[in-house]
Amino acid sequence: MPIYQYKCEKCGYEFDLRRSLSEDDSEITCPQCGDLHPRRVFSTFSTSSSGGCAPVGGG
Ligand SMILES: [Zn+2]
């Protein structure tokens, strides 16, 4: 099941939901402010201008 990313234009909260292709996104509400019909955004590959391997920091 694909994961779609949504962004609320009201509060700017971003979240992702697993929605089936047949399902409609008409019943999706923002979990942050409860605004109806958040905008669906597509996952884009962020091309960072600065190349190189970023150091992996952990724990
Ligand atoms: Zn919101």
PDB file of all heavy atoms in Angstrom, residues 8-13 30-35, ligand 1:
ATOM      1  N   CYS A   8      -0.887  20.180   5.624  1.00  0.00           N
ATOM      2  CA  CYS A   8      -2.001  21.063   5.920  1.00  0.00           C
ATOM      3  C   CYS A   8      -1.577  22.501   5.636  1.00  0.00           C
ATOM      4  O   CYS A   8      -0.545  22.960   6.102  1.00  0.00           O
ATOM      5  CB  CYS A   8      -2.410  20.910   7.376  1.00  0.00           C
ATOM      6  SG  CYS A   8      -3.732  22.024   7.871  1.00  0.00           S
ATOM      7  N   GLU A   9      -2.410  23.154   4.852  1.00  0.00           N
ATOM      8  CA  GLU A   9      -2.075  24.533   4.514  1.00  0.00           C
ATOM      9  C   GLU A   9      -2.502  25.495   5.604  1.00  0.00           C
ATOM     10  O   GLU A   9      -2.181  26.670   5.568  1.00  0.00           O
ATOM     11  CB  GLU A   9      -2.755  24.916   3.199  1.00  0.00           C
ATOM     12  CG  GLU A   9      -2.213  24.145   2.023  1.00  0.00           C
ATOM     13  CD  GLU A   9      -2.809  24.632   0.722  1.00  0.00           C
ATOM     14  OE1 GLU A   9      -3.979  25.037   0.722  1.00  0.00           O
ATOM     15  OE2 GLU A   9      -2.100  24.620  -0.286  1.00  0.00           O
ATOM     16  N   LYS A  10      -3.234  24.978   6.545  1.00  0.00           N
ATOM     17  CA  LYS A  10      -3.730  25.854   7.603  1.00  0.00           C
ATOM     18  C   LYS A  10      -2.675  26.045   8.697  1.00  0.00           C
ATOM     19  O   LYS A  10      -2.394  27.153   9.118  1.00  0.00           O
ATOM     20  CB  LYS A  10      -5.008  25.264   8.199  1.00  0.00           C
ATOM     21  CG  LYS A  10      -5.696  26.211   9.177  1.00  0.00           C
ATOM     22  CD  LYS A  10      -7.026  25.629   9.621  1.00  0.00           C
ATOM     23  CE  LYS A  10      -7.746  26.587  10.567  1.00  0.00           C
ATOM     24  NZ  LYS A  10      -9.067  26.053  10.975  1.00  0.00           N
ATOM     25  N   CYS A  11      -2.106  24.911   9.124  1.00  0.00           N
ATOM     26  CA  CYS A  11      -1.114  24.998  10.196  1.00  0.00           C
ATOM     27  C   CYS A  11       0.265  24.585   9.706  1.00  0.00           C
ATOM     28  O   CYS A  11       1.243  24.728  10.410  1.00  0.00           O
ATOM     29  CB  CYS A  11      -1.539  24.125  11.373  1.00  0.00           C
ATOM     30  SG  CYS A  11      -1.546  22.366  11.014  1.00  0.00           S
ATOM     31  N   GLY A  12       0.318  24.044   8.490  1.00  0.00           N
ATOM     32  CA  GLY A  12       1.608  23.684   7.929  1.00  0.00           C
ATOM     33  C   GLY A  12       2.138  22.354   8.418  1.00  0.00           C
ATOM     34  O   GLY A  12       3.296  22.019   8.228  1.00  0.00           O
ATOM     35  N   TYR A  13       1.260  21.563   9.020  1.00  0.00           N
ATOM     36  CA  TYR A  13       1.685  20.278   9.545  1.00  0.00           C
ATOM     37  C   TYR A  13       1.769  19.251   8.425  1.00  0.00           C
ATOM     38  O   TYR A  13       0.875  19.146   7.605  1.00  0.00           O
ATOM     39  CB  TYR A  13       0.694  19.821  10.615  1.00  0.00           C
ATOM     40  CG  TYR A  13       1.081  18.521  11.278  1.00  0.00           C
ATOM     41  CD1 TYR A  13       2.127  18.481  12.189  1.00  0.00           C
ATOM     42  CD2 TYR A  13       0.384  17.353  10.999  1.00  0.00           C
ATOM     43  CE1 TYR A  13       2.475  17.292  12.804  1.00  0.00           C
ATOM     44  CE2 TYR A  13       0.726  16.164  11.612  1.00  0.00           C
ATOM     45  CZ  TYR A  13       1.772  16.137  12.509  1.00  0.00           C
ATOM     46  OH  TYR A  13       2.112  14.964  13.108  1.00  0.00           O
ATOM     47  N   CYS A  30      -6.491  16.939   9.021  1.00  0.00           N
ATOM     48  CA  CYS A  30      -5.204  17.210   9.625  1.00  0.00           C
ATOM     49  C   CYS A  30      -5.222  16.790  11.090  1.00  0.00           C
ATOM     50  O   CYS A  30      -6.072  17.239  11.857  1.00  0.00           O
ATOM     51  CB  CYS A  30      -4.887  18.703   9.505  1.00  0.00           C
ATOM     52  SG  CYS A  30      -3.402  19.190  10.404  1.00  0.00           S
ATOM     53  N   PRO A  31      -4.314  15.923  11.484  1.00  0.00           N
ATOM     54  CA  PRO A  31      -4.268  15.452  12.871  1.00  0.00           C
ATOM     55  C   PRO A  31      -3.806  16.546  13.835  1.00  0.00           C
ATOM     56  O   PRO A  31      -3.881  16.375  15.045  1.00  0.00           O
ATOM     57  CB  PRO A  31      -3.252  14.300  12.823  1.00  0.00           C
ATOM     58  CG  PRO A  31      -2.395  14.604  11.655  1.00  0.00           C
ATOM     59  CD  PRO A  31      -3.268  15.308  10.666  1.00  0.00           C
ATOM     60  N   GLN A  32      -3.319  17.609  13.277  1.00  0.00           N
ATOM     61  CA  GLN A  32      -2.796  18.683  14.109  1.00  0.00           C
ATOM     62  C   GLN A  32      -3.895  19.677  14.486  1.00  0.00           C
ATOM     63  O   GLN A  32      -4.114  19.967  15.648  1.00  0.00           O
ATOM     64  CB  GLN A  32      -1.669  19.408  13.371  1.00  0.00           C
ATOM     65  CG  GLN A  32      -0.999  20.503  14.183  1.00  0.00           C
ATOM     66  CD  GLN A  32      -0.050  19.956  15.231  1.00  0.00           C
ATOM     67  OE1 GLN A  32       0.117  18.755  15.342  1.00  0.00           O
ATOM     68  NE2 GLN A  32       0.553  20.811  16.005  1.00  0.00           N
ATOM     69  N   CYS A  33      -4.583  20.187  13.480  1.00  0.00           N
ATOM     70  CA  CYS A  33      -5.597  21.200  13.741  1.00  0.00           C
ATOM     71  C   CYS A  33      -6.981  20.727  13.320  1.00  0.00           C
ATOM     72  O   CYS A  33      -7.978  21.351  13.643  1.00  0.00           O
ATOM     73  CB  CYS A  33      -5.246  22.501  13.019  1.00  0.00           C
ATOM     74  SG  CYS A  33      -5.355  22.383  11.226  1.00  0.00           S
ATOM     75  N   GLY A  34      -7.036  19.600  12.616  1.00  0.00           N
ATOM     76  CA  GLY A  34      -8.323  19.053  12.233  1.00  0.00           C
ATOM     77  C   GLY A  34      -8.925  19.694  11.001  1.00  0.00           C
ATOM     78  O   GLY A  34     -10.115  19.561  10.737  1.00  0.00           O
ATOM     79  N   ASP A  35      -8.113  20.370  10.241  1.00  0.00           N
ATOM     80  CA  ASP A  35      -8.595  21.012   9.040  1.00  0.00           C
ATOM     81  C   ASP A  35      -8.890  19.962   7.969  1.00  0.00           C
ATOM     82  O   ASP A  35      -8.199  18.948   7.860  1.00  0.00           O
ATOM     83  CB  ASP A  35      -7.548  22.001   8.523  1.00  0.00           C
ATOM     84  CG  ASP A  35      -8.106  22.849   7.404  1.00  0.00           C
ATOM     85  OD1 ASP A  35      -9.196  23.415   7.582  1.00  0.00           O
ATOM     86  OD2 ASP A  35      -7.458  22.939   6.341  1.00  0.00           O
TER      87      ASP A  35
HETATM   88 ZN    ZN B   1      -3.560  21.568  10.107  1.00  0.00          ZN
END
